[in-house]
PDB file of all heavy atoms in Angstrom:
ATOM      1  N   ARG S 194      39.189   2.515 -45.992  1.00 94.00           N
ATOM      2  CA  ARG S 194      39.666   3.920 -45.990  1.00 94.00           C
ATOM      3  C   ARG S 194      38.711   4.945 -45.505  1.00 94.00           C
ATOM      4  O   ARG S 194      39.000   6.018 -45.024  1.00 94.00           O
ATOM      5  CB  ARG S 194      40.254   4.263 -47.367  1.00 94.00           C
ATOM      6  CG  ARG S 194      41.601   3.682 -47.629  1.00 94.00           C
ATOM      7  CD  ARG S 194      42.121   4.233 -48.955  1.00 94.00           C
ATOM      8  NE  ARG S 194      42.403   5.654 -49.043  1.00 94.00           N
ATOM      9  CZ  ARG S 194      43.458   6.194 -48.487  1.00 94.00           C
ATOM     10  NH1 ARG S 194      44.306   5.491 -47.861  1.00 94.00           N
ATOM     11  NH2 ARG S 194      43.599   7.531 -48.548  1.00 94.00           N
ATOM     12  N   PHE S 195      37.363   4.625 -45.711  1.00 95.00           N
ATOM     13  CA  PHE S 195      36.309   5.540 -45.323  1.00 95.00           C
ATOM     14  C   PHE S 195      36.483   5.913 -43.786  1.00 95.00           C
ATOM     15  O   PHE S 195      36.203   7.066 -43.420  1.00 95.00           O
ATOM     16  CB  PHE S 195      34.982   4.901 -45.584  1.00 95.00           C
ATOM     17  CG  PHE S 195      33.861   5.898 -45.243  1.00 95.00           C
ATOM     18  CD1 PHE S 195      33.548   6.971 -46.040  1.00 95.00           C
ATOM     19  CD2 PHE S 195      33.072   5.635 -44.077  1.00 95.00           C
ATOM     20  CE1 PHE S 195      32.551   7.860 -45.680  1.00 95.00           C
ATOM     21  CE2 PHE S 195      32.017   6.493 -43.760  1.00 95.00           C
ATOM     22  CZ  PHE S 195      31.778   7.611 -44.557  1.00 95.00           C
ATOM     23  N   PHE S 196      37.015   5.001 -43.055  1.00 95.00           N
ATOM     24  CA  PHE S 196      37.020   5.186 -41.573  1.00 95.00           C
ATOM     25  C   PHE S 196      38.192   6.119 -41.202  1.00 95.00           C
ATOM     26  O   PHE S 196      38.266   6.442 -39.986  1.00 95.00           O
ATOM     27  CB  PHE S 196      37.000   3.877 -40.849  1.00 95.00           C
ATOM     28  CG  PHE S 196      35.798   3.105 -41.172  1.00 95.00           C
ATOM     29  CD1 PHE S 196      35.784   2.130 -42.093  1.00 95.00           C
ATOM     30  CD2 PHE S 196      34.564   3.478 -40.557  1.00 95.00           C
ATOM     31  CE1 PHE S 196      34.639   1.438 -42.455  1.00 95.00           C
ATOM     32  CE2 PHE S 196      33.355   2.829 -40.942  1.00 95.00           C
ATOM     33  CZ  PHE S 196      33.387   1.891 -41.840  1.00 95.00           C
ATOM     34  N   LEU S 197      38.942   6.592 -42.176  1.00 94.00           N
ATOM     35  CA  LEU S 197      39.924   7.644 -41.888  1.00 94.00           C
ATOM     36  C   LEU S 197      39.311   8.942 -41.343  1.00 94.00           C
ATOM     37  O   LEU S 197      39.891   9.763 -40.742  1.00 94.00           O
ATOM     38  CB  LEU S 197      40.742   7.969 -43.080  1.00 94.00           C
ATOM     39  CG  LEU S 197      41.888   7.041 -43.565  1.00 94.00           C
ATOM     40  CD1 LEU S 197      42.355   7.383 -44.948  1.00 94.00           C
ATOM     41  CD2 LEU S 197      42.989   7.069 -42.529  1.00 94.00           C
ATOM     42  N   HIS S 198      37.937   9.043 -41.680  1.00 94.00           N
ATOM     43  CA  HIS S 198      37.156  10.265 -41.295  1.00 94.00           C
ATOM     44  C   HIS S 198      37.185  10.450 -39.774  1.00 94.00           C
ATOM     45  O   HIS S 198      37.194  11.603 -39.259  1.00 94.00           O
ATOM     46  CB  HIS S 198      35.832  10.230 -41.802  1.00 94.00           C
ATOM     47  CG  HIS S 198      34.850   9.277 -41.079  1.00 94.00           C
ATOM     48  ND1 HIS S 198      34.264   9.535 -39.831  1.00 94.00           N
ATOM     49  CD2 HIS S 198      34.372   8.024 -41.355  1.00 94.00           C
ATOM     50  CE1 HIS S 198      33.538   8.623 -39.412  1.00 94.00           C
ATOM     51  NE2 HIS S 198      33.557   7.655 -40.370  1.00 94.00           N
ATOM     52  N   VAL S 199      37.398   9.315 -38.999  1.00 93.00           N
ATOM     53  CA  VAL S 199      37.328   9.411 -37.568  1.00 93.00           C
ATOM     54  C   VAL S 199      38.530  10.385 -37.126  1.00 93.00           C
ATOM     55  O   VAL S 199      38.347  11.058 -36.143  1.00 93.00           O
ATOM     56  CB  VAL S 199      37.525   8.028 -36.952  1.00 93.00           C
ATOM     57  CG1 VAL S 199      37.645   8.130 -35.409  1.00 93.00           C
ATOM     58  CG2 VAL S 199      36.329   7.255 -37.311  1.00 93.00           C
ATOM     59  N   THR S 200      39.677  10.335 -37.819  1.00 95.00           N
ATOM     60  CA  THR S 200      40.775  11.258 -37.404  1.00 95.00           C
ATOM     61  C   THR S 200      40.897  12.448 -38.317  1.00 95.00           C
ATOM     62  O   THR S 200      41.291  13.497 -37.869  1.00 95.00           O
ATOM     63  CB  THR S 200      42.096  10.492 -37.495  1.00 95.00           C
ATOM     64  OG1 THR S 200      42.222   9.749 -38.705  1.00 95.00           O
ATOM     65  CG2 THR S 200      42.273   9.444 -36.311  1.00 95.00           C
ATOM     66  N   ASP S 201      40.438  12.344 -39.563  1.00 96.00           N
ATOM     67  CA  ASP S 201      40.587  13.447 -40.471  1.00 96.00           C
ATOM     68  C   ASP S 201      39.733  14.662 -40.107  1.00 96.00           C
ATOM     69  O   ASP S 201      40.221  15.807 -40.115  1.00 96.00           O
ATOM     70  CB  ASP S 201      40.197  12.965 -42.020  1.00 96.00           C
ATOM     71  CG  ASP S 201      41.358  12.301 -42.649  1.00 96.00           C
ATOM     72  OD1 ASP S 201      42.489  12.236 -42.139  1.00 96.00           O
ATOM     73  OD2 ASP S 201      41.056  11.705 -43.717  1.00 96.00           O
ATOM     74  N   PHE S 202      38.475  14.427 -39.932  1.00 97.00           N
ATOM     75  CA  PHE S 202      37.544  15.497 -39.756  1.00 97.00           C
ATOM     76  C   PHE S 202      37.795  16.380 -38.541  1.00 97.00           C
ATOM     77  O   PHE S 202      37.676  17.586 -38.600  1.00 97.00           O
ATOM     78  CB  PHE S 202      36.103  15.039 -39.834  1.00 97.00           C
ATOM     79  CG  PHE S 202      35.574  14.853 -41.297  1.00 97.00           C
ATOM     80  CD1 PHE S 202      36.086  13.852 -42.156  1.00 97.00           C
ATOM     81  CD2 PHE S 202      34.719  15.779 -41.914  1.00 97.00           C
ATOM     82  CE1 PHE S 202      35.704  13.673 -43.459  1.00 97.00           C
ATOM     83  CE2 PHE S 202      34.350  15.643 -43.184  1.00 97.00           C
ATOM     84  CZ  PHE S 202      34.829  14.601 -44.030  1.00 97.00           C
ATOM     85  N   PRO S 203      38.136  15.794 -37.411  1.00 97.00           N
ATOM     86  CA  PRO S 203      38.454  16.640 -36.209  1.00 97.00           C
ATOM     87  C   PRO S 203      39.702  17.436 -36.431  1.00 97.00           C
ATOM     88  O   PRO S 203      39.929  18.479 -35.736  1.00 97.00           O
ATOM     89  CB  PRO S 203      38.647  15.600 -35.063  1.00 97.00           C
ATOM     90  CG  PRO S 203      37.961  14.330 -35.537  1.00 97.00           C
ATOM     91  CD  PRO S 203      38.072  14.358 -37.059  1.00 97.00           C
ATOM     92  N   MET S 204      40.535  17.060 -37.418  1.00 97.00           N
ATOM     93  CA  MET S 204      41.793  17.730 -37.679  1.00 97.00           C
ATOM     94  C   MET S 204      41.569  18.928 -38.668  1.00 97.00           C
ATOM     95  O   MET S 204      42.403  19.814 -38.774  1.00 97.00           O
ATOM     96  CB  MET S 204      42.900  16.815 -38.255  1.00 97.00           C
ATOM     97  CG  MET S 204      43.641  16.098 -37.249  1.00 97.00           C
ATOM     98  SD  MET S 204      44.598  14.747 -38.094  1.00 97.00           S
ATOM     99  CE  MET S 204      45.756  15.771 -39.024  1.00 97.00           C
ATOM    100  N   ALA S 205      40.522  18.910 -39.411  1.00 97.00           N
ATOM    101  CA  ALA S 205      40.346  19.856 -40.489  1.00 97.00           C
ATOM    102  C   ALA S 205      40.105  21.289 -39.950  1.00 97.00           C
ATOM    103  O   ALA S 205      39.577  21.475 -38.896  1.00 97.00           O
ATOM    104  CB  ALA S 205      39.199  19.393 -41.359  1.00 97.00           C
ATOM    105  N   ASP S 206      40.605  22.290 -40.707  1.00 96.00           N
ATOM    106  CA  ASP S 206      40.382  23.657 -40.253  1.00 96.00           C
ATOM    107  C   ASP S 206      39.431  24.368 -41.328  1.00 96.00           C
ATOM    108  O   ASP S 206      39.203  25.599 -41.234  1.00 96.00           O
ATOM    109  CB  ASP S 206      41.647  24.522 -39.923  1.00 96.00           C
ATOM    110  CG  ASP S 206      42.702  24.338 -40.981  1.00 96.00           C
ATOM    111  OD1 ASP S 206      42.381  23.948 -42.154  1.00 96.00           O
ATOM    112  OD2 ASP S 206      43.842  24.555 -40.654  1.00 96.00           O
ATOM    113  N   LEU S 207      39.017  23.601 -42.363  1.00 98.00           N
ATOM    114  CA  LEU S 207      38.069  24.177 -43.288  1.00 98.00           C
ATOM    115  C   LEU S 207      37.506  22.996 -44.067  1.00 98.00           C
ATOM    116  O   LEU S 207      38.226  22.015 -44.360  1.00 98.00           O
ATOM    117  CB  LEU S 207      38.755  25.123 -44.248  1.00 98.00           C
ATOM    118  CG  LEU S 207      37.895  25.639 -45.495  1.00 98.00           C
ATOM    119  CD1 LEU S 207      36.797  26.577 -44.933  1.00 98.00           C
ATOM    120  CD2 LEU S 207      38.820  26.462 -46.497  1.00 98.00           C
ATOM    121  N   LEU S 208      36.184  23.013 -44.295  1.00 98.00           N
ATOM    122  CA  LEU S 208      35.593  21.875 -45.020  1.00 98.00           C
ATOM    123  C   LEU S 208      34.798  22.471 -46.238  1.00 98.00           C
ATOM    124  O   LEU S 208      33.933  23.265 -46.060  1.00 98.00           O
ATOM    125  CB  LEU S 208      34.551  21.122 -44.124  1.00 98.00           C
ATOM    126  CG  LEU S 208      33.709  20.036 -44.831  1.00 98.00           C
ATOM    127  CD1 LEU S 208      34.579  18.964 -45.345  1.00 98.00           C
ATOM    128  CD2 LEU S 208      32.630  19.463 -43.818  1.00 98.00           C
ATOM    129  N   PHE S 209      35.256  22.024 -47.395  1.00 98.00           N
ATOM    130  CA  PHE S 209      34.523  22.277 -48.689  1.00 98.00           C
ATOM    131  C   PHE S 209      33.623  21.171 -48.939  1.00 98.00           C
ATOM    132  O   PHE S 209      33.988  19.982 -48.824  1.00 98.00           O
ATOM    133  CB  PHE S 209      35.510  22.402 -49.852  1.00 98.00           C
ATOM    134  CG  PHE S 209      36.312  23.683 -49.932  1.00 98.00           C
ATOM    135  CD1 PHE S 209      37.646  23.711 -49.738  1.00 98.00           C
ATOM    136  CD2 PHE S 209      35.622  24.913 -50.103  1.00 98.00           C
ATOM    137  CE1 PHE S 209      38.444  24.816 -49.723  1.00 98.00           C
ATOM    138  CE2 PHE S 209      36.425  26.074 -50.029  1.00 98.00           C
ATOM    139  CZ  PHE S 209      37.782  26.079 -49.974  1.00 98.00           C
ATOM    140  N   ILE S 210      32.369  21.474 -49.303  1.00 98.00           N
ATOM    141  CA  ILE S 210      31.389  20.447 -49.704  1.00 98.00           C
ATOM    142  C   ILE S 210      30.922  20.924 -51.125  1.00 98.00           C
ATOM    143  O   ILE S 210      30.256  21.999 -51.237  1.00 98.00           O
ATOM    144  CB  ILE S 210      30.226  20.422 -48.792  1.00 98.00           C
ATOM    145  CG1 ILE S 210      30.743  20.046 -47.294  1.00 98.00           C
ATOM    146  CG2 ILE S 210      29.158  19.431 -49.200  1.00 98.00           C
ATOM    147  CD1 ILE S 210      29.632  20.181 -46.217  1.00 98.00           C
ATOM    148  N   ILE S 211      31.235  20.139 -52.096  1.00 98.00           N
ATOM    149  CA  ILE S 211      31.069  20.549 -53.496  1.00 98.00           C
ATOM    150  C   ILE S 211      30.243  19.546 -54.270  1.00 98.00           C
ATOM    151  O   ILE S 211      30.707  18.406 -54.359  1.00 98.00           O
ATOM    152  CB  ILE S 211      32.496  20.785 -54.157  1.00 98.00           C
ATOM    153  CG1 ILE S 211      33.341  21.683 -53.289  1.00 98.00           C
ATOM    154  CG2 ILE S 211      32.264  21.438 -55.539  1.00 98.00           C
ATOM    155  CD1 ILE S 211      34.775  21.930 -53.892  1.00 98.00           C
ATOM    156  N   GLY S 212      29.136  19.995 -54.807  1.00 96.00           N
ATOM    157  CA  GLY S 212      28.323  19.247 -55.749  1.00 96.00           C
ATOM    158  C   GLY S 212      27.812  17.883 -55.206  1.00 96.00           C
ATOM    159  O   GLY S 212      27.983  16.839 -55.809  1.00 96.00           O
ATOM    160  N   THR S 213      27.169  17.905 -54.045  1.00 94.00           N
ATOM    161  CA  THR S 213      26.576  16.681 -53.535  1.00 94.00           C
ATOM    162  C   THR S 213      25.196  17.051 -52.910  1.00 94.00           C
ATOM    163  O   THR S 213      25.002  18.119 -52.392  1.00 94.00           O
ATOM    164  CB  THR S 213      27.397  16.046 -52.477  1.00 94.00           C
ATOM    165  OG1 THR S 213      26.634  15.065 -51.818  1.00 94.00           O
ATOM    166  CG2 THR S 213      27.976  17.061 -51.480  1.00 94.00           C
ATOM    167  N   SER S 214      24.277  16.084 -53.039  1.00 92.00           N
ATOM    168  CA  SER S 214      22.929  16.254 -52.431  1.00 92.00           C
ATOM    169  C   SER S 214      22.942  15.957 -50.967  1.00 92.00           C
ATOM    170  O   SER S 214      21.903  16.145 -50.255  1.00 92.00           O
ATOM    171  CB  SER S 214      21.943  15.362 -53.201  1.00 92.00           C
ATOM    172  OG  SER S 214      22.341  13.955 -53.019  1.00 92.00           O
ATOM    173  N   LEU S 215      24.056  15.438 -50.447  1.00 93.00           N
ATOM    174  CA  LEU S 215      24.111  15.010 -49.016  1.00 93.00           C
ATOM    175  C   LEU S 215      22.941  14.149 -48.590  1.00 93.00           C
ATOM    176  O   LEU S 215      22.305  14.298 -47.607  1.00 93.00           O
ATOM    177  CB  LEU S 215      24.270  16.211 -48.110  1.00 93.00           C
ATOM    178  CG  LEU S 215      25.617  16.935 -48.125  1.00 93.00           C
ATOM    179  CD1 LEU S 215      25.585  18.087 -47.104  1.00 93.00           C
ATOM    180  CD2 LEU S 215      26.733  16.017 -47.833  1.00 93.00           C
ATOM    181  N   GLU S 216      22.512  13.193 -49.405  1.00 90.00           N
ATOM    182  CA  GLU S 216      21.376  12.358 -49.155  1.00 90.00           C
ATOM    183  C   GLU S 216      21.834  10.947 -48.834  1.00 90.00           C
ATOM    184  O   GLU S 216      21.032  10.215 -48.192  1.00 90.00           O
ATOM    185  CB  GLU S 216      20.460  12.327 -50.426  1.00 90.00           C
ATOM    186  CG  GLU S 216      19.556  13.483 -50.585  1.00 90.00           C
ATOM    187  CD  GLU S 216      18.696  13.445 -51.820  1.00 90.00           C
ATOM    188  OE1 GLU S 216      18.673  12.374 -52.502  1.00 90.00           O
ATOM    189  OE2 GLU S 216      18.051  14.445 -52.082  1.00 90.00           O
ATOM    190  N   VAL S 217      22.951  10.560 -49.232  1.00 87.00           N
ATOM    191  CA  VAL S 217      23.351   9.087 -49.036  1.00 87.00           C
ATOM    192  C   VAL S 217      24.237   8.974 -47.828  1.00 87.00           C
ATOM    193  O   VAL S 217      25.260   9.570 -47.706  1.00 87.00           O
ATOM    194  CB  VAL S 217      24.143   8.610 -50.320  1.00 87.00           C
ATOM    195  CG1 VAL S 217      24.530   7.130 -50.095  1.00 87.00           C
ATOM    196  CG2 VAL S 217      23.298   8.827 -51.606  1.00 87.00           C
ATOM    197  N   GLU S 218      23.713   8.128 -46.874  1.00 87.00           N
ATOM    198  CA  GLU S 218      24.503   7.864 -45.728  1.00 87.00           C
ATOM    199  C   GLU S 218      25.398   6.669 -45.837  1.00 87.00           C
ATOM    200  O   GLU S 218      25.105   5.789 -46.741  1.00 87.00           O
ATOM    201  CB  GLU S 218      23.468   7.621 -44.490  1.00 87.00           C
ATOM    202  CG  GLU S 218      22.668   8.810 -44.129  1.00 87.00           C
ATOM    203  CD  GLU S 218      23.483   9.927 -43.508  1.00 87.00           C
ATOM    204  OE1 GLU S 218      24.735   9.789 -43.349  1.00 87.00           O
ATOM    205  OE2 GLU S 218      22.923  11.025 -43.219  1.00 87.00           O
ATOM    206  N   PRO S 219      26.467   6.518 -45.120  1.00 91.00           N
ATOM    207  CA  PRO S 219      26.944   7.409 -44.052  1.00 91.00           C
ATOM    208  C   PRO S 219      27.759   8.661 -44.521  1.00 91.00           C
ATOM    209  O   PRO S 219      28.095   9.493 -43.785  1.00 91.00           O
ATOM    210  CB  PRO S 219      27.822   6.517 -43.198  1.00 91.00           C
ATOM    211  CG  PRO S 219      28.378   5.520 -44.166  1.00 91.00           C
ATOM    212  CD  PRO S 219      27.284   5.292 -45.223  1.00 91.00           C
ATOM    213  N   PHE S 220      27.957   8.761 -45.864  1.00 92.00           N
ATOM    214  CA  PHE S 220      28.749   9.881 -46.437  1.00 92.00           C
ATOM    215  C   PHE S 220      28.175  11.251 -45.914  1.00 92.00           C
ATOM    216  O   PHE S 220      28.947  12.067 -45.493  1.00 92.00           O
ATOM    217  CB  PHE S 220      28.732   9.763 -47.885  1.00 92.00           C
ATOM    218  CG  PHE S 220      29.716  10.798 -48.621  1.00 92.00           C
ATOM    219  CD1 PHE S 220      31.009  10.473 -48.778  1.00 92.00           C
ATOM    220  CD2 PHE S 220      29.243  12.071 -48.974  1.00 92.00           C
ATOM    221  CE1 PHE S 220      31.932  11.389 -49.425  1.00 92.00           C
ATOM    222  CE2 PHE S 220      30.097  12.919 -49.557  1.00 92.00           C
ATOM    223  CZ  PHE S 220      31.477  12.608 -49.792  1.00 92.00           C
ATOM    224  N   ALA S 221      26.869  11.413 -46.070  1.00 93.00           N
ATOM    225  CA  ALA S 221      26.264  12.690 -45.783  1.00 93.00           C
ATOM    226  C   ALA S 221      26.549  13.227 -44.414  1.00 93.00           C
ATOM    227  O   ALA S 221      26.755  14.435 -44.238  1.00 93.00           O
ATOM    228  CB  ALA S 221      24.744  12.622 -46.020  1.00 93.00           C
ATOM    229  N   SER S 222      26.543  12.284 -43.414  1.00 93.00           N
ATOM    230  CA  SER S 222      26.690  12.761 -42.003  1.00 93.00           C
ATOM    231  C   SER S 222      28.141  13.317 -41.711  1.00 93.00           C
ATOM    232  O   SER S 222      28.329  13.936 -40.698  1.00 93.00           O
ATOM    233  CB  SER S 222      26.424  11.575 -41.060  1.00 93.00           C
ATOM    234  OG  SER S 222      27.213  10.510 -41.320  1.00 93.00           O
ATOM    235  N   LEU S 223      29.103  13.061 -42.629  1.00 96.00           N
ATOM    236  CA  LEU S 223      30.377  13.642 -42.450  1.00 96.00           C
ATOM    237  C   LEU S 223      30.392  15.159 -42.398  1.00 96.00           C
ATOM    238  O   LEU S 223      31.257  15.755 -41.782  1.00 96.00           O
ATOM    239  CB  LEU S 223      31.360  13.177 -43.550  1.00 96.00           C
ATOM    240  CG  LEU S 223      31.743  11.650 -43.693  1.00 96.00           C
ATOM    241  CD1 LEU S 223      32.663  11.409 -44.809  1.00 96.00           C
ATOM    242  CD2 LEU S 223      32.294  11.178 -42.378  1.00 96.00           C
ATOM    243  N   ALA S 224      29.407  15.706 -43.084  1.00 95.00           N
ATOM    244  CA  ALA S 224      29.301  17.227 -43.125  1.00 95.00           C
ATOM    245  C   ALA S 224      29.160  17.774 -41.657  1.00 95.00           C
ATOM    246  O   ALA S 224      29.622  18.915 -41.356  1.00 95.00           O
ATOM    247  CB  ALA S 224      28.101  17.606 -43.927  1.00 95.00           C
ATOM    248  N   GLY S 225      28.708  16.902 -40.716  1.00 94.00           N
ATOM    249  CA  GLY S 225      28.591  17.463 -39.370  1.00 94.00           C
ATOM    250  C   GLY S 225      29.720  16.940 -38.430  1.00 94.00           C
ATOM    251  O   GLY S 225      29.771  17.253 -37.209  1.00 94.00           O
ATOM    252  N   ALA S 226      30.833  16.347 -39.056  1.00 95.00           N
ATOM    253  CA  ALA S 226      31.893  15.742 -38.262  1.00 95.00           C
ATOM    254  C   ALA S 226      33.092  16.751 -37.994  1.00 95.00           C
ATOM    255  O   ALA S 226      33.966  16.350 -37.269  1.00 95.00           O
ATOM    256  CB  ALA S 226      32.433  14.494 -38.944  1.00 95.00           C
ATOM    257  N   VAL S 227      33.012  17.913 -38.546  1.00 96.00           N
ATOM    258  CA  VAL S 227      34.119  18.976 -38.266  1.00 96.00           C
ATOM    259  C   VAL S 227      33.756  19.612 -36.972  1.00 96.00           C
ATOM    260  O   VAL S 227      32.517  19.688 -36.633  1.00 96.00           O
ATOM    261  CB  VAL S 227      34.332  19.872 -39.413  1.00 96.00           C
ATOM    262  CG1 VAL S 227      35.091  19.228 -40.608  1.00 96.00           C
ATOM    263  CG2 VAL S 227      33.128  20.597 -39.859  1.00 96.00           C
ATOM    264  N   ARG S 228      34.691  20.169 -36.249  1.00 96.00           N
ATOM    265  CA  ARG S 228      34.462  20.891 -35.043  1.00 96.00           C
ATOM    266  C   ARG S 228      33.561  22.143 -35.382  1.00 96.00           C
ATOM    267  O   ARG S 228      33.627  22.656 -36.482  1.00 96.00           O
ATOM    268  CB  ARG S 228      35.824  21.358 -34.452  1.00 96.00           C
ATOM    269  CG  ARG S 228      36.670  20.276 -33.834  1.00 96.00           C
ATOM    270  CD  ARG S 228      38.098  20.681 -33.668  1.00 96.00           C
ATOM    271  NE  ARG S 228      38.775  20.934 -34.965  1.00 96.00           N
ATOM    272  CZ  ARG S 228      39.629  21.957 -35.126  1.00 96.00           C
ATOM    273  NH1 ARG S 228      40.015  22.724 -34.114  1.00 96.00           N
ATOM    274  NH2 ARG S 228      40.261  22.121 -36.299  1.00 96.00           N
ATOM    275  N   SER S 229      32.755  22.590 -34.400  1.00 95.00           N
ATOM    276  CA  SER S 229      31.779  23.664 -34.707  1.00 95.00           C
ATOM    277  C   SER S 229      32.475  25.002 -34.992  1.00 95.00           C
ATOM    278  O   SER S 229      31.819  25.806 -35.571  1.00 95.00           O
ATOM    279  CB  SER S 229      30.826  23.764 -33.480  1.00 95.00           C
ATOM    280  OG  SER S 229      31.557  24.039 -32.330  1.00 95.00           O
ATOM    281  N   SER S 230      33.698  25.092 -34.617  1.00 97.00           N
ATOM    282  CA  SER S 230      34.438  26.358 -34.953  1.00 97.00           C
ATOM    283  C   SER S 230      34.978  26.434 -36.310  1.00 97.00           C
ATOM    284  O   SER S 230      35.443  27.433 -36.851  1.00 97.00           O
ATOM    285  CB  SER S 230      35.613  26.496 -33.998  1.00 97.00           C
ATOM    286  OG  SER S 230      36.488  25.449 -34.177  1.00 97.00           O
TER     287      SER S 230
END
C-alpha cells in the first residue's frame, strides 16, 4: 500500500506533516513528492 504514494501525492492540493522527524527513509522523502505549487 505504501506505493499508493505514486498516485496520491501528485493529486494532493495540501500536505500536512505532523509530528515526525522526517529521518526514516523512504517515508521522509514523501515530503518532497507533492507538486511545488
